[in-house]
Amino acid sequence: MPVKVGRMDRRVTLQDRSVSPSSFGEPVPAWVDVAELWAAIEPLGSSEIWRAQAAESDATHRVTIRYRAGVSERMRLIYGNRTLEIESVSNEGERDRVLTLLCREGKR
């Protein structure tokens, strides 16, 4: 189901994992902001959650963004004070127009 651009009315921050050295030279994991994006965020209904669980996913939300190269499951989205861990990325129709992200709401 195509999402109209006007429905992408939520501002989210795309973050990627990074590792930087501590003052003792030890690696310290961190999250780095990659981009501010407009997104459509939809909580999954109970039947959709059931299908996601059958596919071994704990997805709770479907997020649609404009196509952006490099978005992957190792990233996450920050929406207000909520964190959405990306579980899968789908390039709708392989047309490089929009990405559909199945996400699991987690702790920040």
Side-chain angles (χ1 to χ4, degrees):
M1 161 175 58
V3 172
K4 296 196 183 292
V5 173
R7 293 205 41 229
M8 293 185 199
D9 60 353
R10 310 297 171 140
R11 200 69 170 156
V12 298
T13 302
L14 178 67
Q15 293 185 328
D16 198 358
R17 295 173 198 244
S18 176
V19 177
S20 56
S22 70
S23 57
F24 299 108
E26 297 175 2
V28 176
W31 289 97
V32 176
D33 292 354
V34 174
E36 294 283 324
L37 308 170
W38 290 104
I41 301 175
E42 305 168 76
L44 295 180
S46 59
S47 63
E48 292 171 308
I49 289 174
W50 182 81
R51 282 195 298 267
Q53 288 172 341
E56 297 183 18
S57 168
D58 293 323
T60 58
H61 292 77
R62 178 185 302 113
V63 179
T64 306
I65 61 173
R66 290 180 192 254
Y67 177 82
R68 180 181 181 87
V71 176
S72 73
E73 292 84 2
R74 63 183 239 135
M75 297 176 155
R76 70 180 186 178
L77 298 170
I78 301 298
Y79 173 53
N81 63 352
R82 299 163 72 183
T83 301
L84 300 172
E85 305 286 339
I86 299 173
E87 292 202 343
S88 71
V89 179
S90 175
N91 181 356
E92 295 297 310
E94 302 277 328
R95 298 176 73 187
D96 296 348
R97 291 187 180 172
V98 295
L99 295 177
T100 300
L101 315 173
L102 287 182
C103 299
R104 174 180 45 86
E105 187 164 6
K107 296 182 180 171
R108 198 159 190 200

